[in-house]
Amino acid sequence: MTAYKLRGKIALGTLMKLRHLLSAAVIALAACATAEPPAAPDIAAFNSPALSADALMGHIRVLASDEFEGRAPGTEGEGLTVEYLQRAYEAAGLEPGVTLADGSRSWVQETQLTAATLTNTPTLTIAGRGGARDYAYATQFSAWTRRLDPTIDIENAPLVFVGYGVNAPELGWNDYEGIDVRGKIVVMLINDPDFETGDDRGFGGRAMTYYGRWTYKFEEAGRQGAAGAIIIHETAPASYPWAVIQSSTNSARWDVVRADRGASRAGFEGWVTTEVAMETFRRAGLDFNRLKARAQTRGFRAVPMGTLRGSLELQTSTQTRTTSNVIGVLPGAERPDETIIYTAHWDHLGRCPAIQGDDICNGALDNATGTAALIELARRFSAGGRPQRSVAFIALTAEEQGLLGALYYMQNPVFAPRTTVAAINMDGISNFGPTRDIEVVGFGKSEMDDLITWAMEAQGRRVAPDSSPEAGYFYRSDHLHFAQLGIPVLYTSNGIDMVEGGVERGAALNAVYVANNYHKPSDEVTDQWDMSGGVQDLEALYAVGRRLADGEMWPQWRENAEFRGAREASQR
Ligand SMILES: [Zn+2]
């Protein structure tokens, strides 16, 4: 769920090779028509020790083909993808990464997901001074539940403004201090308390921390026992318009199966527009801007919203689906219990709203590129000699549904977090040609920065820090759940300083991708694709992993990183 910066030219030589590849892939695809999943492109054809753009393209073309139907979890597309990955991992010299209860090994870590679909069109009613006011679903508010109850019926629950809804003991900040919100509806602001203050009040100033993410705010509201939790949408601190919220109001809400059936979550979670919030504060006799300013100061205390009471009824039908993380490992020769992990999500949106008659969101860039990179890196590690430590390759499911494959892994780690040296996540590999830089999302959090800087300098290239820290992209892809296990993570996105055309062209290509292709049926392979820049980036990520796999280094989190505590805890 991150934005990408992508476009480029393609060489004739490569085209000839591709044509040969294509015929191999097409033959494989023809096989698919008879339900026989396509064989992985012939890995032996790419026995050069170096990473190969052709090999990447071979995998991408198959994974992003219409046959794979946009690789939605729990669909035929998943079956083809998982089968393809297993064959490719095996051909790349990996071993099955999962040990089952009976001691046997498997390539897959199965997980159950639930999909809750609203069966009614809810109305949010806020009653109090001036009578009851009804708000319309999707245009004025959104709401869903993480509880596996078919009916959620909240009636006349008091509203409480809890500022940014943060409880950060390590920062001495608790917006829930001194108030009991059980049975109430909490109303809160998006992003961090110091996002708009121009200074750092402990949350890194403009850069978003995990406390600024909606996922954290709803988790905390659940921990506090709230009956309902509402975030006020404001475009700048949210870093996306209301349209993004509205677009998810007609799709199922996915989740991992929770042991408590979601009882530890608020009865409902959702957003209201700025306008609805303004009107509600006025009706409560409260000044929104003054309270927002107070919420940005240390020592803020929650404010009951006058006599206002909120009511909402949700009817949901829930289905479960089985889906899989696909895990292969190259066991270490010396210290096999110490592991470096590469991750990439293999899933995408599947069938999506049609554009010009095309309703398959192929997810070529997002993230057939990263999935192909897992296979190519596995082949590269095998070809480069068995490392001292183990290297694992995890293709994660259901990233598009909320990082759920990674969340399931976090709850059921296959490799002990304590002895996991680092994790490197790939979500979108550059397809628009060589750049002079690479961007490190979340730059400044750990010593992984030093390793990627070393690898880039060896290539005569440079690292660019996160270009939009305020958007919190660090918290919007799978590495987040590995970081929450305390594992130092590296997540790069392609640089924009193009060898041909500089930053101007890079930024333009990015803007075109985000506007035209991101999460659309047109995210497909075209003749403009050029993976040579992506290969350079992957060589740098390979160098980082190889150095760790053949060394004794344990990269550390920086002093102020919010995941440092989790690492220390895992080491005890
Ligand atoms: Zn993605």
Side-chain angles (χ1 to χ4, degrees):
M1 292 191 200
T2 45
Y4 302 101
K5 312 177 176 87
L6 318 162
R7 286 286 171 219
K9 298 242 165 322
I10 199 157
L12 184 58
T14 322
L15 194 56
M16 300 309 293
K17 279 197 216 125
L18 264 179
R19 203 162 271 128
H20 142 73
L21 252 181
L22 205 52
S23 54
V26 168
I27 292 162
L29 283 174
C32 166
T34 52
E36 178 56 33
D42 173 9
I43 289 235
F46 315 112
N47 56 17
S48 69
L51 288 165
S52 149
D54 293 348
L56 280 173
M57 278 312 289
H59 298 305
I60 295 167
R61 282 186 186 284
V62 174
L63 292 163
S65 64
D66 282 354
E67 264 67 31
F68 281 53
E69 275 190 290
R71 305 185 307 280
T75 67
E76 173 81 13
E78 165 158 4
L80 294 170
T81 307
V82 170
E83 175 71 20
Y84 187 90
L85 277 164
Q86 290 178 27
R87 291 173 175 233
Y89 275 177
E90 197 163 13
L94 301 187
E95 295 177 13
V98 180
T99 305
L100 301 175
D102 64 3
S104 65
R105 304 293 297 270
S106 170
W107 293 105
V108 296
Q109 179 186 36
E110 274 196 1
T111 167
Q112 293 275 312
L113 296 182
T114 60
T117 308
L118 273 185
T119 55
N120 71 328
T121 303
T123 299
L124 173 64
T125 303
I126 297 183
R129 205 167 60 176
R133 183 82 172 77
D134 287 344
Y135 294 104
Y137 183 67
T139 52
Q140 294 182 300
F141 80 99
S142 77
W144 60 87
T145 184
R146 294 230 183 247
R147 293 191 183 168
L148 291 184
D149 304 337
T151 303
I152 296 286
D153 194 2
I154 308 285
E155 278 195 45
N156 291 318
L159 269 64
V160 182
F161 174 60
V162 294
Y164 286 84
V166 171
N167 177 15
E170 79 283 6
L171 300 174
W173 193 292
N174 184 5
D175 292 322
Y176 289 92
E177 179 79 34
I179 190 147
D180 180 352
V181 299
R182 281 172 297 178
K184 299 178 181 153
I185 296 172
V186 296
V187 177
M188 47 196 166
L189 297 158
I190 189 64
N191 214 310
D192 293 325
D194 55 9
F195 169 73
E196 292 168 277
T197 57
D199 58 356
D200 184 341
R201 299 185 179 186
F203 297 87
R206 231 174 140 68
M208 184 192 273
T209 70
Y210 188 55
Y211 294 114
R213 283 286 287 158
W214 57 269
T215 38
Y216 163 78
K217 292 174 193 284
F218 290 132
E219 286 160 7
E220 187 60 43
R223 281 189 285 268
Q224 299 286 334
I230 292 175
I231 295 179
I232 299 166
H233 175 269
E234 296 175 279
T235 300
S239 80
Y240 42 74
W242 178 260
V244 173
I245 307 263
Q246 189 160 358
S247 70
S248 66
T249 53
N250 50 19
S251 49
R253 190 131 310 234
W254 291 72
D255 202 356
V256 289
V257 173
R258 296 172 187 272
D260 69 355
R261 296 175 56 78
S264 60
R265 305 289 295 222
F268 78 87
E269 301 166 359
W271 299 75
V272 293
T273 61
T274 312
E275 295 71 31
V276 169
M278 291 298 176
E279 183 176 56
T280 306
F281 273 74
R282 259 196 315 278
R283 293 180 60 212
L286 301 170
D287 178 320
F288 175 76
N289 292 320
R290 190 178 309 150
L291 273 180
K292 183 174 176 180
R294 212 196 301 165
Q296 293 164 348
T297 57
R298 187 173 293 282
F300 163 82
R301 288 292 169 266
V303 179
M305 298 185 73
T307 59
L308 295 185
R309 298 282 182 275
S311 303
L312 178 77
E313 184 180 335
L314 298 180
Q315 302 283 350
T316 52
S317 79
T318 302
Q319 49 168 261
T320 58
R321 282 206 188 154
T322 302
T323 181
S324 301
N325 294 331
V326 187
I327 305 180
V329 64
L330 189 61
E334 314 272 327
R335 283 164 278 128
D337 60 342
E338 296 173 9
T339 309
I340 290 93
I341 295 178
Y342 285 90
T343 61
H345 72 91
W346 61 257
D347 69 296
H348 197 56
L349 303 172
R351 300 257 172 192
C352 55
I355 295 177
Q356 289 158 354
D358 178 357
D359 70 344
I360 296 180
C361 275
N362 300 74
L365 185 92
D366 184 13
N367 190 27
T369 55
T371 310
L374 277 180
I375 300 169
E376 236 330 68
L377 282 165
R379 185 187 65 76
R380 179 84 168 83
F381 268 94
S382 297
R386 188 170 287 273
Q388 296 183 14
R389 291 165 152 166
S390 297
V391 185
F393 302 86
I394 305 183
L396 293 158
T397 185
E399 188 269 356
E400 303 291 3
Q401 276 77 23
L403 320 182
L404 296 178
L407 175 59
Y408 185 82
Y409 181 92
M410 179 179 88
Q411 296 167 343
N412 310 275
V414 170
F415 305 99
R418 197 174 61 77
T419 50
T420 298
V421 177
I424 299 169
N425 186 36
M426 300 172 292
D427 193 348
I429 303 296
S430 166
N431 69 341
F432 60 82
T435 61
R436 295 187 189 89
D437 60 345
I438 198 170
E439 189 170 310
V440 174
V441 178
F443 188 85
K445 289 184 187 299
S446 85
E447 292 175 344
M448 296 301 285
D449 298 346
D450 309 333
L451 287 165
I452 186 67
T453 303
W454 159 81
M456 291 295 288
E457 283 170 0
Q459 293 182 346
R461 303 201 300 153
R462 67 175 197 283
V463 159
D466 198 335
S467 59
S468 30
E470 73 283 353
Y473 288 126
F474 184 83
Y475 307 100
R476 293 162 68 172
S477 192
D478 294 315
H479 52 275
L480 168 66
H481 293 310
F482 290 79
Q484 289 175 326
L485 287 170
I487 299 165
V489 298
L490 174 63
Y491 173 47
T492 57
S493 80
N494 28 276
I496 55 168
D497 186 2
M498 307 276 305
V499 171
E500 263 181 49
V503 171
E504 200 184 329
R505 180 159 169 263
L509 287 166
N510 170 53
V512 168
Y513 174 79
V514 173
N516 299 349
N517 303 324
Y518 175 57
H519 282 193
K520 294 203 175 78
S522 55
D523 180 3
E524 293 171 325
V525 175
T526 70
D527 291 344
Q528 276 69 51
W529 277 48
D530 172 0
M531 293 307 291
S532 62
V535 165
Q536 273 188 316
D537 293 349
L538 290 176
E539 279 290 358
L541 296 180
Y542 171 74
V544 169
R546 174 57 78 173
R547 181 172 168 187
L548 290 171
D550 285 343
E552 301 191 356
M553 188 180 175
W554 290 91
Q556 301 297 316
W557 291 100
R558 305 279 190 217
E559 275 305 316
N560 61 354
E562 69 256 65
F563 305 106
R564 192 181 165 92
R567 186 62 158 176
E568 284 158 4
S570 78
Q571 302 296 308
R572 280 192 212 116

